[in-house]
Amino acid sequence: MERLIYEMEPRAPYDFGKMIRRLQGVNHEMFRFQGDRLLRTIRFDDQVLVLAVDSIGSIENPKLQIALYGEGLRHINDVEGLKQYIRVMLSADLDIQSFYDQLAADALYQPLVERFYGLRFILEADLFECMTKTIIGQQLNLAFASTLNRRLMELTAKPVMWEGLELPVFPSAQDVARLDYAQLRELQYSQRKAEYVIDFARLVAEGQIDLNGLFTQTNDEIVTELSRLRGIGRWTVECFLMFGMGRTDLLPAADIGLRNGVKKLYGMEDKPTEVEVRRIGAAWAPWSSYVTFYLWETLNDKLKERIT
């Protein structure tokens, strides 16, 4: 099997151990673990590869060993582009210290920094995967959404065997576009959810939506463009921007988990409204996504019905 092994140095602080434990805690269906090694399949240039990530540094002097495996490596011409794609996925270039410096002025937020110091997003492997999984997860608890994700993969994409582990492969837009609604209905998808997932895949497969072209657009432009699509609302696009594109200034104020997190942080008797969360969250810019992320994580042990 072809392989590519190299080292990556993320910006400090970078706590890869916390990032792994967080994925384990939410039982993310795409990842497998060998001790502190992170494994999953990815797609790049239409090639399916196995990605293995090991931490060989420390929080303040982080270093990762990246290993890629697969016969598809020989068909990839842009190796530097592949490396940059993985840097983005692992949030390696994020200046998270600026986020901590901003929160330092408010003692209320210091426990968040201390508890989650060095924790960053590990983004979904590609934008089609992220949006599809976000659509599937709408109004579902985490466990059932994960079950539906697994069933979609089992229906459409053959897993990869690697060192005795079966690694799931998320389907391409073309794979999903070939399905009919009844096939997903048989997997316990509702009729509408089956339509939303397959219709979105067909738009992407037919080139009517250029997902990579979204990187040149602002958050507001992307919200406007994607929320025009059937089955995709503002919350869905906000989560897509956070977990797919790594945008740092999203405030999904209507999210129940975020509202519960704000209630807990401020010791409120009642859950704040969306308007109240937007008022409080105005001070979080340009790091609203990360305050949201950390507040979600304060509820990780108790709140299961939230975005992964």
Side-chain angles (χ1 to χ4, degrees), residues 72-228:
L73 277 170
R74 68 180 64 185
H75 302 296
I76 293 174
N77 296 318
D78 186 8
V79 174
E80 292 306 312
L82 173 59
K83 290 181 178 180
Q84 180 57 32
Y85 156 82
I86 294 171
R87 288 191 72 87
V88 172
M89 178 181 167
L90 297 176
S91 299
D93 294 318
L94 186 74
D95 182 15
I96 204 168
Q97 187 59 52
S98 294
F99 167 49
Y100 298 150
D101 291 344
Q102 178 173 320
L103 292 188
D106 191 334
L108 183 66
Y109 289 87
Q110 284 312 292
L112 284 181
V113 175
E114 292 170 7
R115 180 175 174 183
F116 302 115
Y117 185 76
L119 176 65
R120 303 160 184 245
F121 290 116
I122 293 181
L123 303 182
E124 300 290 4
D126 66 55
L127 297 184
F128 174 72
E129 175 183 331
C130 183
M131 179 56 85
T132 301
K133 288 163 68 173
T134 306
I135 293 171
I136 289 171
Q138 293 170 349
Q139 298 181 333
L140 296 181
N141 64 59
L142 193 64
F144 189 54
S146 183
T147 295
L148 293 185
N149 289 333
R150 289 188 176 93
R151 290 174 179 171
L152 177 65
M153 290 187 284
E154 290 167 359
L155 177 66
T156 54
K158 183 179 179 180
V160 172
M161 294 303 299
W162 189 85
E163 292 192 355
L165 288 175
E166 184 176 276
L167 302 179
V169 174
F170 200 84
S172 66
Q174 290 75 15
D175 293 330
V176 179
R178 286 190 286 267
L179 300 177
D180 58 56
Y181 305 142
Q183 288 175 280
L184 293 188
R185 291 284 288 128
E186 291 174 358
L187 303 180
Q188 289 189 287
Y189 283 66
S190 68
Q191 179 65 29
R192 284 190 176 181
K193 198 171 292 282
E195 292 172 4
Y196 297 160
V197 168
I198 293 175
D199 289 353
F200 175 71
R202 289 172 178 170
L203 291 173
V204 175
E206 294 165 3
Q208 296 185 52
I209 298 176
D210 178 13
L211 291 175
N212 288 329
L214 297 176
F215 284 104
T216 64
Q217 298 185 30
T218 67
N219 293 343
D220 287 342
E221 288 171 340
I222 295 170
V223 169
T224 298
E225 179 175 345
L226 294 184
S227 60
R228 291 186 294 105

Side-chain angles (χ1 to χ4, degrees), residues 5 9 46 51 90 119 161 189 210 225 272 278 288 303:
I5 299 176
E9 295 185 2
D46 295 323
L51 170 67
L90 297 176
L119 176 65
M161 294 303 299
Y189 283 66
D210 178 13
E225 179 175 345
R278 293 201 181 279
S288 302
L303 185 63

